[in-house]
Amino acid sequence: MIPLYTAEQVRSIDERAIRDLGYPSIVLMENAARSIYRLVGERYVDYGGAPVGFLCGKGNNGGDGFALARHARVNGFPVVVVMFGEEDDLSEDARVNYRILRNLAEDDPDVTIKRHQSAADLRPLKRCGMIFDAMLGTGAKGALREPYKSVVETVNKLAAVKVAVDSPTGLDVDLGSGDAIFKADFTVTLGGLKRGLFFADGFANAGEVVKGGIGVSDEFFEKFDVEDHLIEPEDVLFALPEKAPDIHKYRAGKALTIAGSAQYPGAAILTASATLRAGAGATVLAFPKSAPHPSASSYPELVVERYDDGGAGYPTPDAYDKLRERVVWADAVALGPGIGRAEETAEFVTRYLNDERRPFTVLDADGLFPLNDGAYRDVNLKNVALTPHYGEFARLLGADLDDLKKDLLAAGREFVKETGANLILKGPRTIVFQPSGESLINPVGNSGMAKFGMGDVLTGAIAGFAAQCEYQEDAMMIGVYLHSLAGDLLRGRRSEFGFSASEVVEALPDALLFLRDSVENDGKL
């Protein structure tokens, strides 16, 4: 697991380095600038000779920018610096680096420094091939104010490569949210990886994120209690359930899928087939008897059991009595995709959740609907993993979606603390919240997975691994990661436009093989 830190935790490391180790703060700033310059040079090794632009604020983030501009000029690049405020407004270390750059500019026409007073001062940036954002860094909280808001909106429209120094301006790196945010292609974050760069607005605006150094050992970070982590490939590989030489099908995991209806038969097949491709030894799909038989010809191994639904075409409370023996038989259950939103179905879901003998359950899609507007408080959600996307989570809580997105981590933690459930919050970067208070952020997946049926496949994959794993936390991590990795493999073969949910099912074994080969042979993906 890769630990993710808050802005305050990283700031305290700076303070400790100054206080306990005797580092002058200006040395930490110089170390940061050197590290950023090196990492950007390695990433953009083919960058030409176009001028490099720098947006420099008043604080130490701006000081990093002034120092970076100096390094760029010393290495032969013309530089354009737009600064905010007067010299006297700058922090002490920023002022030192500004004065060095100003002295260089006196005899060098390729060093341009402009103080921002209007939009006209941004025009020289149009000739830059790369622009560094060193305006506010990690200290910004709340809505971005002027002039920074207008500057961000203007610069985001330019064609230059954009690099954020520590954090894109406008992003709250603790919350992962913001209003107007600098749209970076590459972010070098200093000291420790900040959690808000990896999900929601942070993921959408930070681009590729790498860690830069300030000259302090990683051991300084070990004292912190960290609640948030990025999943690493090794974590997934080592969490996979073992297939013992003498294993048989029932010891290899019994997975039950309760999904589909007369209206949505495809959801049942997608979910159940994913349990199969996840390696469960015995996979059963429970499907309404009065609904047309789901087309499972591609999966002859999948056992389809038709339960008496009284002609409804969807699960009803009475149907649960007929299914209960199979529920108790299972090691894990996938419940919800395509079952519909009839009142009787809602009663079925409630009865199921309150059954003390039910196994670990992955609850998704229509299975979440009866719990909306706080109704989840009336059912037992222990030993359940709910898999809503942002909108579904807002409806569960009876909350405004925009308000929820301002602090997803807090909302997710509060939910699992209140319910004892596990929460898999689906998004461009899915977050797994555990009752322990920890959250795991999934670093893989792509925009081609924003299609019908992808959530059904995820539900089945998690249930399939849960039927086999000793620890359900492992099953959730494995299912989330491999589901997204399968999508990434398909994007590489067919682009983000050209693959479907059913193909993700088929690519799950490929993802596992790719993971195993990558970790065992390279140590990385």
Side-chain angles (χ1 to χ4, degrees):
M1 300 285 180
I2 300 175
L4 302 176
Y5 299 95
T6 66
E8 181 57 36
Q9 286 173 326
V10 176
R11 275 194 293 271
S12 73
I13 291 297
D14 287 2
E15 294 167 1
R16 184 183 170 196
I18 295 167
R19 182 186 67 247
D20 297 346
L21 299 182
Y23 271 100
S25 57
I26 193 75
V27 172
L28 296 179
M29 184 174 287
E30 185 66 15
N31 289 344
R34 288 177 177 273
S35 176
I36 295 168
Y37 190 83
R38 175 182 59 81
L39 290 166
V40 173
E42 291 172 355
R43 174 63 178 80
Y44 296 98
V45 66
D46 295 326
Y47 183 77
V52 181
F54 298 85
L55 297 162
C56 297
K58 304 172 187 178
N60 286 342
N61 193 241
D64 294 337
F66 290 128
L68 276 165
R70 167 168 44 85
H71 284 289
R73 183 65 199 119
V74 167
N75 283 278
F77 294 99
V79 297
V80 175
V81 177
V82 178
M83 62 180 290
F84 296 82
E86 304 286 351
E87 180 179 341
D88 290 343
D89 298 325
L90 302 178
S91 69
E92 182 177 350
D93 291 341
R95 192 180 306 123
V96 170
N97 276 298
Y98 164 72
R99 287 173 175 169
I100 296 172
L101 195 65
R102 181 193 62 191
N103 293 338
L104 285 174
E106 290 177 357
D107 298 315
D108 189 342
D110 283 328
V111 179
T112 301
I113 303 176
K114 298 187 73 68
R115 185 168 64 84
H116 182 270
Q117 294 177 300
S118 69
D121 296 310
L122 300 176
R123 288 173 187 161
L125 295 174
K126 292 182 178 179
R127 57 190 178 91
C128 295
M130 181 179 291
I131 298 172
F132 285 78
D133 164 25
M135 288 183 281
L136 297 179
T138 61
K141 299 288 182 182
L144 196 59
R145 293 179 290 184
E146 297 294 355
Y148 300 106
K149 184 174 185 292
S150 295
V151 170
V152 164
E153 291 172 346
T154 298
V155 174
N156 279 350
K157 297 175 184 176
L158 301 181
V161 171
K162 300 176 185 66
V163 179
V165 176
D166 208 12
S167 172
T169 289
L171 176 70
D172 187 315
V173 293
D174 289 338
L175 307 183
S177 61
D179 183 13
I181 303 173
F182 182 84
K183 182 74 171 175
D185 300 291
F186 191 67
T187 295
V188 182
T189 192
L190 297 167
L193 297 176
K194 284 83 174 177
R195 66 189 189 186
L197 295 170
F198 295 96
F199 66 97
D201 291 338
F203 169 70
N205 290 279
E208 181 183 349
V209 178
V210 299
K211 184 174 73 171
I214 59 173
V216 175
S217 168
D218 288 344
E219 293 178 1
F220 271 59
F221 289 86
E222 293 178 358
K223 70 168 188 173
F224 292 119
D225 292 326
V226 177
E227 294 180 315
D228 309 295
H229 294 82
L230 275 182
I231 300 171
E232 292 187 275
E234 293 86 349
D235 300 323
V236 179
L237 183 63
F238 299 146
L240 285 169
E242 287 189 30
K243 295 282 191 182
D246 60 346
I247 199 169
H248 59 73
K249 58 191 173 185
Y250 294 117
R251 283 177 53 203
K254 304 186 293 292
L256 172 64
T257 297
I258 305 174
S261 60
Q263 188 174 5
Y264 303 113
I269 298 301
L270 286 171
T271 308
S273 61
T275 68
L276 185 68
R277 290 301 185 202
T283 56
V284 174
L285 167 62
F287 194 78
K289 183 179 290 186
S290 71
H293 196 288
S295 177
S297 57
S298 298
Y299 302 97
E301 307 90 343
L302 187 63
V303 175
V304 180
E305 291 188 354
R306 311 292 296 278
Y307 61 85
D308 186 358
D309 58 308
Y314 49 74
T316 64
D318 289 342
Y320 185 65
D321 294 329
K322 304 175 179 65
L323 277 173
R324 190 169 186 272
E325 183 177 347
R326 183 58 82 181
V327 168
V328 173
W329 163 87
D331 296 311
V333 174
L335 171 62
I339 61 175
R341 299 181 177 182
E343 185 175 340
E344 289 176 295
T345 302
E347 293 178 27
F348 173 95
V349 172
T350 299
R351 284 196 60 186
Y352 174 90
L353 292 173
N354 287 329
D355 187 338
E356 294 181 355
R357 293 189 64 195
R358 62 164 173 77
F360 178 82
T361 300
V362 187
L363 188 67
D364 185 37
D366 291 336
L368 300 170
F369 183 73
L371 311 185
N372 283 350
D373 297 318
Y376 65 83
R377 296 184 178 93
D378 300 327
V379 295
N380 176 20
L381 291 180
K382 290 182 171 62
N383 208 29
V384 175
L386 295 85
T387 63
H389 55 61
Y390 295 172
E392 288 172 329
F393 189 41
R395 289 193 286 274
L396 278 174
L397 300 178
D400 178 78
L401 177 58
D402 290 335
D403 289 341
L404 177 72
K405 290 168 69 175
K406 290 176 182 177
D407 195 350
L408 288 171
L409 290 180
R413 283 201 177 91
E414 179 60 31
F415 181 81
V416 298
K417 179 181 178 181
E418 178 186 7
T419 62
N422 298 277
L423 175 67
I424 298 168
L425 188 57
K426 295 182 295 194
R429 285 293 180 258
T430 292
I431 309 173
V432 181
F433 293 92
Q434 300 172 354
S436 64
E438 292 185 304
S439 69
L440 308 180
I441 299 176
N442 177 35
V444 290
N446 64 84
S447 57
M449 302 183 77
K451 296 185 178 82
F452 277 160
M454 291 294 177
D456 304 338
V457 176
L458 175 62
T459 298
I462 296 171
F465 285 112
Q468 304 169 73
C469 288
E470 181 179 359
Y471 301 106
Q472 305 310 334
E473 294 84 359
D474 288 343
M476 292 182 287
M477 175 180 66
I478 295 166
V480 166
Y481 190 93
L482 288 182
H483 173 261
S484 294
L485 182 57
D488 284 350
L489 294 179
L490 288 166
R491 180 187 59 179
R493 299 170 194 162
R494 301 188 178 185
S495 86
E496 64 270 31
F497 297 95
F499 65 93
S500 64
S502 59
E503 290 170 303
V504 171
V505 174
E506 293 305 298
L508 286 171
D510 297 333
L512 198 157
L513 286 173
F514 180 84
L515 174 73
R516 181 177 289 162
D517 182 66
S518 299
V519 172
E520 292 179 351
N521 293 332
D522 304 314
K524 60 181 181 179
L525 285 178

mmCIF file with all atom_site columns, all heavy atoms in Angstrom, residues 398-416:
data_model
loop_
_atom_site.group_PDB
_atom_site.id
_atom_site.type_symbol
_atom_site.label_atom_id
_atom_site.label_alt_id
_atom_site.label_comp_id
_atom_site.label_asym_id
_atom_site.label_entity_id
_atom_site.label_seq_id
_atom_site.pdbx_PDB_ins_code
_atom_site.Cartn_x
_atom_site.Cartn_y
_atom_site.Cartn_z
_atom_site.occupancy
_atom_site.B_iso_or_equiv
_atom_site.pdbx_formal_charge
_atom_site.auth_seq_id
_atom_site.auth_comp_id
_atom_site.auth_asym_id
_atom_site.auth_atom_id
_atom_site.pdbx_PDB_model_num
ATOM 1   N N   . GLY A 1 398 ? -29.682 10.825 1.155  1.00 0.00 ? 398 GLY A N   1
ATOM 2   C CA  . GLY A 1 398 ? -30.636 11.923 1.044  1.00 0.00 ? 398 GLY A CA  1
ATOM 3   C C   . GLY A 1 398 ? -29.923 13.264 1.010  1.00 0.00 ? 398 GLY A C   1
ATOM 4   O O   . GLY A 1 398 ? -30.414 14.266 1.541  1.00 0.00 ? 398 GLY A O   1
ATOM 5   N N   . ALA A 1 399 ? -28.744 13.275 0.371  1.00 0.00 ? 399 ALA A N   1
ATOM 6   C CA  . ALA A 1 399 ? -27.890 14.466 0.357  1.00 0.00 ? 399 ALA A CA  1
ATOM 7   C C   . ALA A 1 399 ? -27.827 15.062 -1.038 1.00 0.00 ? 399 ALA A C   1
ATOM 8   O O   . ALA A 1 399 ? -28.126 14.403 -2.044 1.00 0.00 ? 399 ALA A O   1
ATOM 9   C CB  . ALA A 1 399 ? -26.483 14.102 0.830  1.00 0.00 ? 399 ALA A CB  1
ATOM 10  N N   . ASP A 1 400 ? -27.434 16.327 -1.099 1.00 0.00 ? 400 ASP A N   1
ATOM 11  C CA  . ASP A 1 400 ? -27.199 16.986 -2.378 1.00 0.00 ? 400 ASP A CA  1
ATOM 12  C C   . ASP A 1 400 ? -25.882 16.489 -2.962 1.00 0.00 ? 400 ASP A C   1
ATOM 13  O O   . ASP A 1 400 ? -24.862 16.447 -2.262 1.00 0.00 ? 400 ASP A O   1
ATOM 14  C CB  . ASP A 1 400 ? -27.144 18.508 -2.179 1.00 0.00 ? 400 ASP A CB  1
ATOM 15  C CG  . ASP A 1 400 ? -26.857 19.253 -3.470 1.00 0.00 ? 400 ASP A CG  1
ATOM 16  O OD1 . ASP A 1 400 ? -27.789 19.404 -4.280 1.00 0.00 ? 400 ASP A OD1 1
ATOM 17  O OD2 . ASP A 1 400 ? -25.681 19.667 -3.666 1.00 0.00 ? 400 ASP A OD2 1
ATOM 18  N N   . LEU A 1 401 ? -25.888 16.119 -4.230 1.00 0.00 ? 401 LEU A N   1
ATOM 19  C CA  . LEU A 1 401 ? -24.700 15.532 -4.842 1.00 0.00 ? 401 LEU A CA  1
ATOM 20  C C   . LEU A 1 401 ? -23.521 16.503 -4.829 1.00 0.00 ? 401 LEU A C   1
ATOM 21  O O   . LEU A 1 401 ? -22.384 16.111 -4.515 1.00 0.00 ? 401 LEU A O   1
ATOM 22  C CB  . LEU A 1 401 ? -25.012 15.092 -6.279 1.00 0.00 ? 401 LEU A CB  1
ATOM 23  C CG  . LEU A 1 401 ? -23.841 14.524 -7.079 1.00 0.00 ? 401 LEU A CG  1
ATOM 24  C CD1 . LEU A 1 401 ? -23.234 13.308 -6.376 1.00 0.00 ? 401 LEU A CD1 1
ATOM 25  C CD2 . LEU A 1 401 ? -24.299 14.149 -8.493 1.00 0.00 ? 401 LEU A CD2 1
ATOM 26  N N   . ASP A 1 402 ? -23.755 17.753 -5.161 1.00 0.00 ? 402 ASP A N   1
ATOM 27  C CA  . ASP A 1 402 ? -22.657 18.729 -5.184 1.00 0.00 ? 402 ASP A CA  1
ATOM 28  C C   . ASP A 1 402 ? -22.049 18.910 -3.800 1.00 0.00 ? 402 ASP A C   1
ATOM 29  O O   . ASP A 1 402 ? -20.833 19.040 -3.661 1.00 0.00 ? 402 ASP A O   1
ATOM 30  C CB  . ASP A 1 402 ? -23.143 20.069 -5.738 1.00 0.00 ? 402 ASP A CB  1
ATOM 31  C CG  . ASP A 1 402 ? -23.461 20.005 -7.227 1.00 0.00 ? 402 ASP A CG  1
ATOM 32  O OD1 . ASP A 1 402 ? -22.886 19.140 -7.907 1.00 0.00 ? 402 ASP A OD1 1
ATOM 33  O OD2 . ASP A 1 402 ? -24.282 20.814 -7.699 1.00 0.00 ? 402 ASP A OD2 1
ATOM 34  N N   . ASP A 1 403 ? -22.898 18.925 -2.778 1.00 0.00 ? 403 ASP A N   1
ATOM 35  C CA  . ASP A 1 403 ? -22.376 19.042 -1.412 1.00 0.00 ? 403 ASP A CA  1
ATOM 36  C C   . ASP A 1 403 ? -21.576 17.798 -1.031 1.00 0.00 ? 403 ASP A C   1
ATOM 37  O O   . ASP A 1 403 ? -20.528 17.895 -0.387 1.00 0.00 ? 403 ASP A O   1
ATOM 38  C CB  . ASP A 1 403 ? -23.527 19.241 -0.416 1.00 0.00 ? 403 ASP A CB  1
ATOM 39  C CG  . ASP A 1 403 ? -24.166 20.615 -0.529 1.00 0.00 ? 403 ASP A CG  1
ATOM 40  O OD1 . ASP A 1 403 ? -23.531 21.525 -1.095 1.00 0.00 ? 403 ASP A OD1 1
ATOM 41  O OD2 . ASP A 1 403 ? -25.308 20.769 -0.069 1.00 0.00 ? 403 ASP A OD2 1
ATOM 42  N N   . LEU A 1 404 ? -22.067 16.642 -1.422 1.00 0.00 ? 404 LEU A N   1
ATOM 43  C CA  . LEU A 1 404 ? -21.387 15.388 -1.104 1.00 0.00 ? 404 LEU A CA  1
ATOM 44  C C   . LEU A 1 404 ? -19.989 15.359 -1.707 1.00 0.00 ? 404 LEU A C   1
ATOM 45  O O   . LEU A 1 404 ? -19.022 14.949 -1.051 1.00 0.00 ? 404 LEU A O   1
ATOM 46  C CB  . LEU A 1 404 ? -22.211 14.213 -1.639 1.00 0.00 ? 404 LEU A CB  1
ATOM 47  C CG  . LEU A 1 404 ? -21.603 12.817 -1.463 1.00 0.00 ? 404 LEU A CG  1
ATOM 48  C CD1 . LEU A 1 404 ? -21.653 12.399 -0.010 1.00 0.00 ? 404 LEU A CD1 1
ATOM 49  C CD2 . LEU A 1 404 ? -22.331 11.809 -2.346 1.00 0.00 ? 404 LEU A CD2 1
ATOM 50  N N   . LYS A 1 405 ? -19.861 15.812 -2.952 1.00 0.00 ? 405 LYS A N   1
ATOM 51  C CA  . LYS A 1 405 ? -18.585 15.740 -3.662 1.00 0.00 ? 405 LYS A CA  1
ATOM 52  C C   . LYS A 1 405 ? -17.530 16.673 -3.080 1.00 0.00 ? 405 LYS A C   1
ATOM 53  O O   . LYS A 1 405 ? -16.352 16.539 -3.393 1.00 0.00 ? 405 LYS A O   1
ATOM 54  C CB  . LYS A 1 405 ? -18.810 16.023 -5.140 1.00 0.00 ? 405 LYS A CB  1
ATOM 55  C CG  . LYS A 1 405 ? -19.552 14.896 -5.849 1.00 0.00 ? 405 LYS A CG  1
ATOM 56  C CD  . LYS A 1 405 ? -20.040 15.290 -7.226 1.00 0.00 ? 405 LYS A CD  1
ATOM 57  C CE  . LYS A 1 405 ? -18.924 15.476 -8.202 1.00 0.00 ? 405 LYS A CE  1
ATOM 58  N NZ  . LYS A 1 405 ? -19.428 15.736 -9.574 1.00 0.00 ? 405 LYS A NZ  1
ATOM 59  N N   . LYS A 1 406 ? -17.937 17.592 -2.228 1.00 0.00 ? 406 LYS A N   1
ATOM 60  C CA  . LYS A 1 406 ? -16.959 18.500 -1.621 1.00 0.00 ? 406 LYS A CA  1
ATOM 61  C C   . LYS A 1 406 ? -16.060 17.782 -0.626 1.00 0.00 ? 406 LYS A C   1
ATOM 62  O O   . LYS A 1 406 ? -14.939 18.223 -0.360 1.00 0.00 ? 406 LYS A O   1
ATOM 63  C CB  . LYS A 1 406 ? -17.681 19.662 -0.939 1.00 0.00 ? 406 LYS A CB  1
ATOM 64  C CG  . LYS A 1 406 ? -18.345 20.627 -1.923 1.00 0.00 ? 406 LYS A CG  1
ATOM 65  C CD  . LYS A 1 406 ? -19.128 21.702 -1.180 1.00 0.00 ? 406 LYS A CD  1
ATOM 66  C CE  . LYS A 1 406 ? -19.835 22.629 -2.172 1.00 0.00 ? 406 LYS A CE  1
ATOM 67  N NZ  . LYS A 1 406 ? -20.673 23.640 -1.478 1.00 0.00 ? 406 LYS A NZ  1
ATOM 68  N N   . ASP A 1 407 ? -16.544 16.682 -0.046 1.00 0.00 ? 407 ASP A N   1
ATOM 69  C CA  . ASP A 1 407 ? -15.714 15.914 0.890  1.00 0.00 ? 407 ASP A CA  1
ATOM 70  C C   . ASP A 1 407 ? -16.160 14.457 0.893  1.00 0.00 ? 407 ASP A C   1
ATOM 71  O O   . ASP A 1 407 ? -16.793 13.973 1.830  1.00 0.00 ? 407 ASP A O   1
ATOM 72  C CB  . ASP A 1 407 ? -15.797 16.511 2.293  1.00 0.00 ? 407 ASP A CB  1
ATOM 73  C CG  . ASP A 1 407 ? -14.695 15.990 3.222  1.00 0.00 ? 407 ASP A CG  1
ATOM 74  O OD1 . ASP A 1 407 ? -14.005 15.032 2.826  1.00 0.00 ? 407 ASP A OD1 1
ATOM 75  O OD2 . ASP A 1 407 ? -14.538 16.535 4.326  1.00 0.00 ? 407 ASP A OD2 1
ATOM 76  N N   . LEU A 1 408 ? -15.803 13.744 -0.160 1.00 0.00 ? 408 LEU A N   1
ATOM 77  C CA  . LEU A 1 408 ? -16.216 12.346 -0.299 1.00 0.00 ? 408 LEU A CA  1
ATOM 78  C C   . LEU A 1 408 ? -15.627 11.460 0.786  1.00 0.00 ? 408 LEU A C   1
ATOM 79  O O   . LEU A 1 408 ? -16.284 10.538 1.276  1.00 0.00 ? 408 LEU A O   1
ATOM 80  C CB  . LEU A 1 408 ? -15.787 11.822 -1.678 1.00 0.00 ? 408 LEU A CB  1
ATOM 81  C CG  . LEU A 1 408 ? -16.550 12.348 -2.891 1.00 0.00 ? 408 LEU A CG  1
ATOM 82  C CD1 . LEU A 1 408 ? -15.847 11.902 -4.172 1.00 0.00 ? 408 LEU A CD1 1
ATOM 83  C CD2 . LEU A 1 408 ? -17.986 11.852 -2.882 1.00 0.00 ? 408 LEU A CD2 1
ATOM 84  N N   . LEU A 1 409 ? -14.390 11.723 1.165  1.00 0.00 ? 409 LEU A N   1
ATOM 85  C CA  . LEU A 1 409 ? -13.756 10.869 2.172  1.00 0.00 ? 409 LEU A CA  1
ATOM 86  C C   . LEU A 1 409 ? -14.489 10.943 3.506  1.00 0.00 ? 409 LEU A C   1
ATOM 87  O O   . LEU A 1 409 ? -14.711 9.918  4.162  1.00 0.00 ? 409 LEU A O   1
ATOM 88  C CB  . LEU A 1 409 ? -12.292 11.266 2.353  1.00 0.00 ? 409 LEU A CB  1
ATOM 89  C CG  . LEU A 1 409 ? -11.353 10.955 1.183  1.00 0.00 ? 409 LEU A CG  1
ATOM 90  C CD1 . LEU A 1 409 ? -9.935  11.403 1.516  1.00 0.00 ? 409 LEU A CD1 1
ATOM 91  C CD2 . LEU A 1 409 ? -11.368 9.472  0.845  1.00 0.00 ? 409 LEU A CD2 1
ATOM 92  N N   . ALA A 1 410 ? -14.863 12.147 3.919  1.00 0.00 ? 410 ALA A N   1
ATOM 93  C CA  . ALA A 1 410 ? -15.582 12.289 5.184  1.00 0.00 ? 410 ALA A CA  1
ATOM 94  C C   . ALA A 1 410 ? -16.935 11.600 5.122  1.00 0.00 ? 410 ALA A C   1
ATOM 95  O O   . ALA A 1 410 ? -17.349 10.919 6.072  1.00 0.00 ? 410 ALA A O   1
ATOM 96  C CB  . ALA A 1 410 ? -15.751 13.769 5.528  1.00 0.00 ? 410 ALA A CB  1
ATOM 97  N N   . ALA A 1 411 ? -17.647 11.762 4.004  1.00 0.00 ? 411 ALA A N   1
ATOM 98  C CA  . ALA A 1 411 ? -18.970 11.144 3.871  1.00 0.00 ? 411 ALA A CA  1
ATOM 99  C C   . ALA A 1 411 ? -18.867 9.625  3.885  1.00 0.00 ? 411 ALA A C   1
ATOM 100 O O   . ALA A 1 411 ? -19.668 8.936  4.526  1.00 0.00 ? 411 ALA A O   1
ATOM 101 C CB  . ALA A 1 411 ? -19.634 11.623 2.579  1.00 0.00 ? 411 ALA A CB  1
ATOM 102 N N   . GLY A 1 412 ? -17.876 9.080  3.176  1.00 0.00 ? 412 GLY A N   1
ATOM 103 C CA  . GLY A 1 412 ? -17.711 7.633  3.148  1.00 0.00 ? 412 GLY A CA  1
ATOM 104 C C   . GLY A 1 412 ? -17.353 7.072  4.513  1.00 0.00 ? 412 GLY A C   1
ATOM 105 O O   . GLY A 1 412 ? -17.894 6.048  4.938  1.00 0.00 ? 412 GLY A O   1
ATOM 106 N N   . ARG A 1 413 ? -16.456 7.751  5.206  1.00 0.00 ? 413 ARG A N   1
ATOM 107 C CA  . ARG A 1 413 ? -16.059 7.270  6.533  1.00 0.00 ? 413 ARG A CA  1
ATOM 108 C C   . ARG A 1 413 ? -17.216 7.310  7.521  1.00 0.00 ? 413 ARG A C   1
ATOM 109 O O   . ARG A 1 413 ? -17.386 6.410  8.338  1.00 0.00 ? 413 ARG A O   1
ATOM 110 C CB  . ARG A 1 413 ? -14.893 8.113  7.063  1.00 0.00 ? 413 ARG A CB  1
ATOM 111 C CG  . ARG A 1 413 ? -13.573 7.761  6.448  1.00 0.00 ? 413 ARG A CG  1
ATOM 112 C CD  . ARG A 1 413 ? -12.403 8.208  7.308  1.00 0.00 ? 413 ARG A CD  1
ATOM 113 N NE  . ARG A 1 413 ? -11.182 7.768  6.677  1.00 0.00 ? 413 ARG A NE  1
ATOM 114 C CZ  . ARG A 1 413 ? -10.482 8.478  5.806  1.00 0.00 ? 413 ARG A CZ  1
ATOM 115 N NH1 . ARG A 1 413 ? -10.883 9.681  5.478  1.00 0.00 ? 413 ARG A NH1 1
ATOM 116 N NH2 . ARG A 1 413 ? -9.390  7.996  5.266  1.00 0.00 ? 413 ARG A NH2 1
ATOM 117 N N   . GLU A 1 414 ? -17.988 8.365  7.455  1.00 0.00 ? 414 GLU A N   1
ATOM 118 C CA  . GLU A 1 414 ? -19.120 8.489  8.375  1.00 0.00 ? 414 GLU A CA  1
ATOM 119 C C   . GLU A 1 414 ? -20.140 7.388  8.107  1.00 0.00 ? 414 GLU A C   1
ATOM 120 O O   . GLU A 1 414 ? -20.720 6.824  9.045  1.00 0.00 ? 414 GLU A O   1
ATOM 121 C CB  . GLU A 1 414 ? -19.765 9.860  8.216  1.00 0.00 ? 414 GLU A CB  1
ATOM 122 C CG  . GLU A 1 414 ? -20.965 10.102 9.111  1.00 0.00 ? 414 GLU A CG  1
ATOM 123 C CD  . GLU A 1 414 ? -20.646 9.993  10.588 1.00 0.00 ? 414 GLU A CD  1
ATOM 124 O OE1 . GLU A 1 414 ? -19.499 10.305 10.976 1.00 0.00 ? 414 GLU A OE1 1
ATOM 125 O OE2 . GLU A 1 414 ? -21.543 9.588  11.367 1.00 0.00 ? 414 GLU A OE2 1
ATOM 126 N N   . PHE A 1 415 ? -20.347 7.062  6.833  1.00 0.00 ? 415 PHE A N   1
ATOM 127 C CA  . PHE A 1 415 ? -21.322 6.026  6.486  1.00 0.00 ? 415 PHE A CA  1
ATOM 128 C C   . PHE A 1 415 ? -20.906 4.667  7.036  1.00 0.00 ? 415 PHE A C   1
ATOM 129 O O   . PHE A 1 415 ? -21.714 3.956  7.647  1.00 0.00 ? 415 PHE A O   1
ATOM 130 C CB  . PHE A 1 415 ? -21.489 5.954  4.973  1.00 0.00 ? 415 PHE A CB  1
ATOM 131 C CG  . PHE A 1 415 ? -22.485 4.924  4.509  1.00 0.00 ? 415 PHE A CG  1
ATOM 132 C CD1 . PHE A 1 415 ? -23.835 5.202  4.517  1.00 0.00 ? 415 PHE A CD1 1
ATOM 133 C CD2 . PHE A 1 415 ? -22.067 3.670  4.087  1.00 0.00 ? 415 PHE A CD2 1
ATOM 134 C CE1 . PHE A 1 415 ? -24.763 4.250  4.113  1.00 0.00 ? 415 PHE A CE1 1
ATOM 135 C CE2 . PHE A 1 415 ? -22.972 2.712  3.678  1.00 0.00 ? 415 PHE A CE2 1
ATOM 136 C CZ  . PHE A 1 415 ? -24.331 3.009  3.693  1.00 0.00 ? 415 PHE A CZ  1
ATOM 137 N N   . VAL A 1 416 ? -19.654 4.271  6.827  1.00 0.00 ? 416 VAL A N   1
ATOM 138 C CA  . VAL A 1 416 ? -19.241 2.944  7.299  1.00 0.00 ? 416 VAL A CA  1
ATOM 139 C C   . VAL A 1 416 ? -19.158 2.900  8.827  1.00 0.00 ? 416 VAL A C   1
ATOM 140 O O   . VAL A 1 416 ? -19.393 1.856  9.436  1.00 0.00 ? 416 VAL A O   1
ATOM 141 C CB  . VAL A 1 416 ? -17.914 2.501  6.655  1.00 0.00 ? 416 VAL A CB  1
ATOM 142 C CG1 . VAL A 1 416 ? -18.055 2.399  5.145  1.00 0.00 ? 416 VAL A CG1 1
ATOM 143 C CG2 . VAL A 1 416 ? -16.765 3.431  7.012  1.00 0.00 ? 416 VAL A CG2 1
#
